């Protein structure tokens, strides 16, 4: 093949994105608002959850500003109660729970399966509009008297406060349906839309993690639905199931709530782990270590996650024996989590690590998630939990897992799939700089909170003794730096939309199917059916300078040419 | 087999249907009608699982209060009319039968019978709700409402004593009887809403059946609505003994 021919061919490949793809195949408001294309729905979800993230972030900054001094700084105590409640409710229900499944799951899942769309495209769109509806109710609660119960809605306070609990509950109920629809859709898609050659154990691990997530969404979310229905009925009619005045039991509410909300933290973290499994393998240029263990550990986490809700209630008056059982079960969750972390490390061992932006975020994830996981052991142990419960130690632990874990992984996915989604490459320098900022500022914000909590600073308090002020101020400075770093990351990506060079089909040399189609993909995902292969056989890809991306290695280019290798 | 030349092609699932004409109700992203049917069926079963979990919260609340306050349940169940409950059980079982026959008719392309059976199912559902209305309105007049509005009117208290033996016996009302009625209204009310939803779904497939959409090749919606209807029926089978037949 002459050089000239090569050039024209690669030019043709590079031309394709500017030809017809899912972004430019139709125009106008309704082509987006009424779309059934999973990729467009994913983008609508992405923008919406990022909007929610911004809102929740503003609440977070306000909380940190108020805590700058031990007394009143910028708001009164009532406003403070509203602010931390809305920070929690917006971040959990509007951002973290839908973030990775609804945005990245929607975008990547059908493409990774080589399918044209999810099994139920209309339900997928409905799920998005339910999210919008739920968000409107939650925002209406802010306007109609606010919400000061904390995101957990504990009775009996939630049945007696005069803030708008009913509106917020209806919002969360609707958001639950949105989440169920996503999960249901994914399970069915993975069961029925896989190509014949793709057995369960040839699926990328991100799909395994989404499968585990979807199981939790389908099984746990209805329980939140009925709990909130009863809460609304309690407030509106006084049915007395949670009200001790009428013979009810407020602790029952906590059982119901945590039966959902503990599995829900695995809805938040499992897909994050799936993204990390993809990125660590690709940028270590090595197949994932212990594929089956990583896959099964997702399912194990999902199932064990249903058995540990009582560890949120060690001090709420449940019996001693159930506290002991819940504590023991809680420790069992650390086994599959540990399996994942060790397998990621083993994947990197002797790999050719490339420190691209997604990889930097993935490494941050491992570090932060490990701290979050290990500090969880203190909270799972009964004796230490008596001292640490409801302190900033819990706050710091939760944020290390949810923000250091899920959010960092969400951003890792954002940088990893950004070229596929938009067809543009971003600046690696600014990407890495943003990542470093996020990592450093995150630790600056939340590590002092471990110390605060261990020394007895309770969570959700408005005033605090002056000796805690230094830690609070370090944390506040960290929060502002964290916000600034996130804006660096955001501007890196936005800049790429206008100035970024065109993305090749496979910029990272990954072997899962989404990299076989053009960037951005055409409306039905593939021009021709994708090639069968092991998603972690990274040897099958070779860098081609003409494409400035990777392509399939032909047989003569193989270093260790064995026909029956890999799959 | 990993190189480009020896590439396996994904689309082997779709081969059987490409030469035939495109089935009328096949969505573009499915390879075949079978794939579409399997997806719908699995989706329906998953939806039914979410329904079971939804009701299980209430069953759990029932179990908790039944075990901590058994006297409330033993005292309060006498206000429920076991005869009306039993009638409603039979009505719903009949509706499940006609629904199953409707699915069978769709599978065998008997359009007329499909319409007849769906209509019968609708009528049974309406009868169920009417009887439920009679029960509710009686309790409303007797002041037997949920805990917050529980003000029983004197004289109504022994209206529905099932076996008649205890009719003359005055039992002292235990504390917090209203909680039983809270659970009763929550369970039967939620079930009633599901009956209404089911009726809506049946009306939708009835319209499509009259239009002639269903035949042996395409009957998935009838099948799925049938599954839903059986689940609603099944939940009542649990509600009836748990609420009406306490001893």
């Amino acid at each position: 093949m002459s050089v000239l021919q090569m050039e024209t061919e690669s030019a043709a490949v590079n031309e394709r994105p500017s030809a017809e793809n899912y972004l430019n195949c139709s125009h106008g408001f309704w082509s987006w608002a009424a779309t059934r294309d999973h990729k467009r729905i994913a983008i609508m979800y992405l923008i919406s959850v990022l909007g929610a993230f911004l809102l929740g972030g503003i609440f977070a900054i306000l909380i940190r500003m108020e805590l700058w001094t031990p007394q009143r700084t910028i708001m009164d105590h009532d406003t403070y109660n509203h602010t931390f409640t809305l920070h929690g409710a917006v971040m959990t229900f509007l951002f973290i729970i839908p973030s990775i499944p609804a945005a990245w799951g929607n975008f990547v899942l059908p493409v990774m399966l080589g399918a044209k769309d999810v099994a139920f495209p209309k339900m997928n769109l409905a799920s998005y509009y339910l999210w919008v509806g739920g968000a409107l109710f939650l925002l209406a609660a802010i306007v109609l008297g606010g919400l000061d119960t904390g995101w957990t809605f504990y009775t009996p306070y939630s049945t007696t406060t005069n803030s708008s609990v009913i509106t917020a509950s209806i919002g969360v109920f609707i958001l639950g349906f949105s989440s169920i629809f996503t999960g249901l859709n994914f399970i069915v898609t993975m069961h029925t839309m896989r190509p014949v050659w793709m057995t369960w154990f040839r699926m990328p691990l991100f799909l395994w993690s989404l499968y585990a997530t979807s199981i939790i969404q389908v099984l746990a979310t209805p329980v939140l639905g009925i709990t909130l229905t009863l809460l609304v009925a309690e407030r509106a009619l006084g049915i007395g199931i949670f009200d001790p005045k009428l013979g009810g039991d407020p602790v029952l509410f906590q059982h119901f709530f945590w039966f959902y909300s503990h599995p829900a933290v695995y809805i938040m973290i499992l897909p994050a782990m799936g993204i990390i499994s993809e990125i660590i393998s690709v940028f270590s240029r090595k197949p994932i270590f212990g594929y089956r263990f990583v896959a099964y550990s997702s399912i194990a986490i999902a199932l064990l996650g249903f058995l540990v809700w009582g560890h949120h209630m060690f001090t709420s008056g449940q019996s001693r024996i159930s506290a002991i059982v819940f504590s023991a079960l809680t420790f069992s969750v650390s086994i599959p989590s540990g399996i994942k972390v060790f397998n990621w490390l083993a994947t990197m061992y002797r790999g050719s690590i490339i420190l691209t932006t997604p990889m930097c975020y993935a490494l941050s994830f491992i570090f932060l998630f490990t701290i979050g996981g290990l500090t969880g052991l203190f909270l799972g142990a009964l004796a230490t939990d008596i001292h640490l419960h409801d302190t900033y130690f819990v706050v710091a632990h939760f944020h290390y897992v949810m923000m250091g874990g899920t959010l960092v992984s969400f951003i890792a996915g954002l940088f990893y799939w950004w070229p596929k989604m938009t067809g543009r490459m971003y600046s690696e320098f600014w990407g890495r700089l943003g990542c470093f900022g996020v990592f450093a500022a995150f630790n600056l914000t939340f590590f002092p909170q471990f110390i605060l909590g261990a020394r007895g600073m309770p969570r959700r308090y408005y005033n605090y003794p002056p000796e805690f002020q230094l830690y609070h101020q370090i944390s506040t400075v960290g929060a502002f730096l964290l916000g600034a770093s996130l804006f660096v990351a955001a501007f890196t990506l936005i800049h790429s939309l206008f100035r970024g060079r065109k993305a090749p089909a496979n910029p990272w040399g990954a072997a899962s199917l989404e990299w076989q189609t053009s960037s951005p993909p055409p409306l039905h995902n593939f021009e021709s059916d994708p090639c069968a292969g092991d998603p972690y056989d990274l040897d099958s890809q070779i860098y081609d300078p003409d494409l400035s991306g990777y392509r399939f290695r032909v047989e003569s280019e193989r270093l260790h040419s064995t026909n029956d290798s890999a799959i | 087999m990993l190189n480009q030349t020896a590439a396996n092609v994904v689309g082997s699932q779709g081969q059987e249907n490409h030469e035939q004409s495109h089935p009328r109700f096949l969505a573009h992203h499915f390879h075949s009608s079978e794939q579409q049917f399997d997806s719908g069926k699995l989706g329906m079963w998953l939806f039914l699982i979410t329904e079971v979990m939804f009701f299980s919260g209430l069953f759990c609340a029932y179990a908790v209060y039944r075990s901590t306050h058994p006297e409330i349940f033993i005292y309060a169940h006498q206000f429920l009319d076991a005869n009306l409950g039993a009638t409603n059980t039979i009505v719903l079982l009949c509706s499940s039968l006609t629904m199953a026959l409707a699915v069978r008719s769709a599978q065998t392309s008997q359009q007329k019978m499909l319409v007849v059976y769906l209509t019968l199912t609708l009528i049974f559902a309406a009868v169920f709700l009417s009887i439920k209305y009679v029960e509710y309105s009686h309790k409303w007049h007797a002041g037997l409402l949920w805990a917050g509005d529980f003000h029983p009117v004197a004289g109504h208290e022994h209206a529905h004593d099932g076996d008649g033996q205890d009719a003359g016996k005055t039992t002292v009302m235990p504390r917090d009887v209203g909680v039983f009625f809270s659970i009763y209204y929550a369970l039967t009310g939620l079930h009633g809403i599901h009956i209404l939803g089911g009726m809506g779904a049946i009306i939708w497939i009835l319209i499509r059946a009259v239009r002639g959409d269903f035949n042996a090749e395409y009957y998935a919606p009838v099948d799925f609505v049938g599954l839903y209807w059986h689940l609603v029926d099944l939940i009542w089978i649990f509600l009836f003994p748990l609420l009406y037949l306490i001893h």
Side-chain angles (χ1 to χ4, degrees):
Chain A
M1 192 183 285
S2 72
V3 179
L4 187 70
Q5 255 179 313
M6 285 283 278
E7 269 174 7
T8 40
E9 266 190 27
S10 65
V13 174
N14 279 338
E15 278 309 296
R16 210 177 294 149
S18 59
E20 179 125 309
N21 61 52
Y22 79 103
L23 292 168
N24 63 14
C25 63
S26 56
H27 297 279
F29 177 76
W30 287 111
S31 77
W32 283 83
T35 184
R36 284 162 205 172
D37 177 22
H38 67 100
K39 299 182 287 303
R40 285 194 172 190
I41 294 172
I43 288 192
M44 297 199 293
Y45 253 126
L46 181 65
I47 294 169
S48 308
V49 297
L50 284 174
F53 178 57
L54 180 65
L55 183 68
I58 291 169
F59 286 128
I61 290 288
L62 290 174
I63 294 170
R64 289 313 323 168
M65 280 165 73
E66 169 52 41
L67 292 170
W68 183 257
T69 65
Q71 301 83 31
R72 183 193 160 101
T73 313
I74 54 163
M75 58 176 94
D76 62 48
H77 51 84
D78 266 341
T79 318
Y80 177 76
N81 290 345
H82 288 262
T83 310
F84 75 67
T85 300
L86 291 168
H87 165 69
V90 168
M91 282 296 199
T92 340
F93 296 117
L94 288 183
F95 175 64
I96 309 183
I97 288 178
S99 62
I100 297 179
W104 293 125
N106 251 331
F107 189 83
V108 176
L109 179 136
V111 196
M112 273 186 168
L113 291 175
K116 285 181 189 163
D117 209 323
V118 291
F120 308 117
K122 279 187 231 168
M123 188 192 268
N124 203 12
L125 185 66
S127 153
Y128 174 72
Y129 283 110
L130 283 174
W131 184 92
V132 173
L136 288 178
F137 268 95
L138 211 53
L139 296 180
I142 300 178
V143 184
L144 305 168
L147 187 67
D148 63 353
T149 59
W151 73 277
T152 47
F153 298 108
Y154 271 13
T155 56
Y157 185 67
S158 58
T159 51
T160 49
T161 173
N162 58 3
S163 60
S164 44
V165 174
I166 292 184
T167 320
S169 300
I170 294 172
V172 174
F173 182 89
I174 297 173
L175 289 169
F177 268 93
S178 157
S179 178
I180 290 174
F181 279 7
T182 305
L184 196 158
N185 223 333
F186 286 179
I187 292 182
V188 175
T189 309
M190 274 182 264
H191 270 278
T192 61
M193 312 275 286
R194 274 178 296 130
V196 272
W197 58 267
M198 193 188 281
T199 58
W200 284 97
F201 290 103
R202 283 187 195 171
M203 289 200 318
L205 287 165
F206 182 51
L207 297 187
W208 272 95
S209 73
L210 281 177
Y211 191 80
T213 310
S214 305
I215 291 175
I216 307 176
Q217 285 176 310
V218 166
L219 288 181
T221 318
V223 179
L224 178 74
I226 192 67
T227 308
L228 293 172
T229 311
L230 288 175
L231 180 63
V232 169
E234 186 77 78
R235 266 188 81 92
L237 304 170
I239 56 168
I241 289 178
F242 302 134
D243 187 351
K245 269 196 310 228
L246 298 168
D249 181 2
V251 178
L252 186 64
F253 176 85
Q254 295 187 22
H255 279 290
F256 277 15
F257 182 81
W258 288 115
F259 182 85
Y260 165 76
S261 292
H262 192 76
V265 304
Y266 298 113
I267 295 179
M268 306 176 202
I269 196 67
L270 273 171
M273 292 167 157
I275 291 182
I276 300 305
S277 299
E278 300 296 322
I279 292 176
I280 292 283
S281 166
V282 168
F283 296 108
S284 302
R285 309 305 305 154
K286 258 182 73 187
I288 188 87
F289 183 87
Y291 172 94
R292 278 184 190 240
F293 274 90
V294 180
Y296 279 133
S297 65
S298 292
I299 306 294
I301 290 174
L303 299 182
L304 289 172
F306 277 101
L307 307 176
V308 301
W309 79 88
H311 69 216
H312 296 268
M313 302 167 58
F314 283 158
T315 58
S316 69
Q318 67 183 357
S319 75
R320 198 174 283 183
I321 184 74
S322 53
I324 291 170
V325 171
F326 276 127
S327 174
L329 287 169
T330 300
F331 286 112
S332 71
V333 181
S334 59
I335 298 170
S337 313
I339 287 174
K340 283 190 187 291
V341 172
F342 286 125
N343 279 303
W344 293 326
L345 296 181
T347 306
M348 289 196 295
Y349 178 64
R350 309 193 71 170
S352 319
I353 295 173
I354 310 168
L355 289 175
T356 56
T357 310
M359 185 62 171
C360 291
Y361 278 105
L363 295 175
S364 308
F365 172 95
I366 295 181
F367 188 86
L368 300 174
F369 176 76
T370 304
I371 293 180
L374 290 176
T375 51
L377 299 179
F378 298 92
L379 299 168
L382 290 172
T384 43
D385 183 67
I386 300 299
H387 176 66
L388 294 172
H389 88 277
D390 264 0
T391 66
Y392 267 71
F393 195 89
V394 180
V395 176
H397 160 72
F398 185 78
H399 282 85
Y400 263 88
V401 182
M402 288 298 115
M403 191 172 185
T406 308
L407 175 75
V408 164
S409 173
F410 176 80
I411 304 177
L414 191 59
F415 278 95
Y416 182 59
W417 283 303
W418 185 262
K420 185 54 66 185
M421 185 178 246
T422 63
R424 296 289 169 173
M425 300 301 289
Y426 47 82
S427 154
E428 283 288 348
F429 171 77
W430 287 100
R432 282 178 215 158
L433 191 74
C435 174
F436 176 76
V438 167
F439 179 75
F442 177 87
N443 283 301
L444 193 63
T445 312
F446 290 104
F447 202 81
Q449 298 190 0
F450 280 126
I451 303 166
L452 274 176
R455 295 191 174 185
M457 170 81 205
R459 69 195 287 202
R460 294 178 172 171
Y461 272 33
Y462 177 69
N463 294 332
Y464 54 86
E467 64 259 35
F468 290 144
Q469 189 171 13
L470 176 67
Y471 297 107
H472 273 300
Q473 291 189 339
I474 296 174
S475 186
T476 302
V477 170
F480 275 95
L481 291 175
L482 184 52
S485 311
L486 288 169
F487 274 108
V488 171
F491 285 127
T492 309
L493 293 176
I494 293 169
H495 178 264
S496 79
L497 286 180
F498 301 102
R499 294 290 165 81
R501 78 181 159 84
K502 280 207 171 105
N506 190 355
W508 314 125
S512 46
L513 296 190
E514 78 268 31
W515 304 104
Q516 288 189 25
T517 184
S518 57
S519 304
L523 178 62
H524 292 313
N525 295 342
F526 295 95
E527 299 289 355
S528 55
D529 289 328
C531 308
D534 180 343
Y536 297 104
D537 179 25
L538 300 169
D539 263 354
S540 67
Q541 307 293 322
I542 188 172
Y543 187 78
D544 187 336
D546 294 322
L547 300 171
S548 58
Y550 287 74
R551 62 167 169 79
F552 270 101
R553 198 189 285 270
V554 292
E555 199 59 37
S556 58
E557 292 168 329
R558 284 231 163 213
L559 289 175
H560 319 285
S561 183
T562 42
N563 281 329
D564 54 347
S565 68
I567 12 177
Chain B
M1 65 178 291
L2 289 166
N3 58 40
Q4 235 170 346
T5 47
N8 257 339
V9 169
V10 176
S12 50
Q13 287 180 347
Q15 284 163 358
E16 63 258 65
N17 262 301
H18 281 318
E19 56 268 31
Q20 296 163 16
S21 65
H22 193 268
R24 187 167 156 218
F25 290 106
L26 179 61
H28 79 277
H29 57 289
F30 289 115
H31 288 296
S32 63
S33 300
E34 290 74 45
Q35 192 188 23
Q36 176 164 333
F37 181 78
D38 290 346
S39 301
K41 193 125 186 174
L42 181 59
M44 197 61 212
W45 276 108
L46 288 169
F47 175 69
L48 296 186
I49 290 175
T50 68
E51 289 285 12
V52 169
M53 293 305 292
F54 195 63
F55 273 95
S56 68
L58 283 175
F59 281 115
C60 184
Y62 176 93
V64 167
Y65 287 103
R66 177 92 191 252
S67 66
T68 54
H69 303 289
E71 74 284 357
I72 291 178
F73 287 76
I74 290 165
Y75 173 82
H77 92 280
Q78 60 179 319
F79 298 111
L80 304 188
D81 189 332
N83 291 329
L84 287 180
T87 314
N88 253 351
T89 309
I90 294 166
V91 168
L92 270 196
L93 282 174
C94 291
S95 78
S96 257
L97 175 68
T98 52
M99 191 70 224
L101 289 169
V103 174
R104 182 76 197 141
S105 313
Q107 285 170 338
T108 50
S109 305
Q110 292 171 290
Q111 197 219 346
K112 201 173 280 175
M113 290 316 288
L114 171 63
V115 172
V116 169
Y117 285 130
L118 287 177
T119 315
L120 275 176
T121 313
L122 265 183
I123 292 170
F124 281 126
V127 170
F128 175 89
L129 284 182
S130 311
I131 293 177
K132 205 72 226 159
Y133 171 77
V134 171
E135 286 191 83
Y136 275 174
S137 62
H138 181 83
K139 284 183 192 58
W140 182 274
H141 292 305
L144 299 169
L145 298 180
W146 46 88
D149 293 298
F150 184 70
H151 307 294
V153 181
H156 281 278
E157 289 186 14
H158 301 289
H160 294 305
D161 205 313
D163 6 87
Q165 292 170 347
D166 307 325
K169 203 163 60 181
T170 41
T171 37
V172 184
M173 186 165 78
R175 284 183 62 195
D176 303 327
V177 172
V179 169
F180 173 84
F181 288 97
S182 296
I183 293 174
Y184 167 81
Y185 282 110
L187 275 169
T188 55
L190 199 63
H191 179 260
I193 291 171
H194 279 80
I195 294 274
L196 278 175
M199 289 173 78
I202 293 171
I203 289 172
W204 168 63
I205 52 170
L206 183 60
I207 293 169
R208 291 190 65 181
V210 171
R211 215 163 57 191
D213 282 358
F214 303 121
N215 53 46
E217 265 73 58
Y218 178 73
Y219 57 88
V222 189
D223 200 9
F224 302 158
V225 171
L227 282 175
Y228 171 81
W229 192 254
H230 295 317
L231 181 83
V232 175
D233 186 16
L234 188 66
I235 288 169
W236 178 260
I237 301 294
F238 281 93
L239 289 188
F240 174 59
L242 286 177
L243 294 169
Y244 290 78
L245 304 179
I246 299 171
H247 284 295

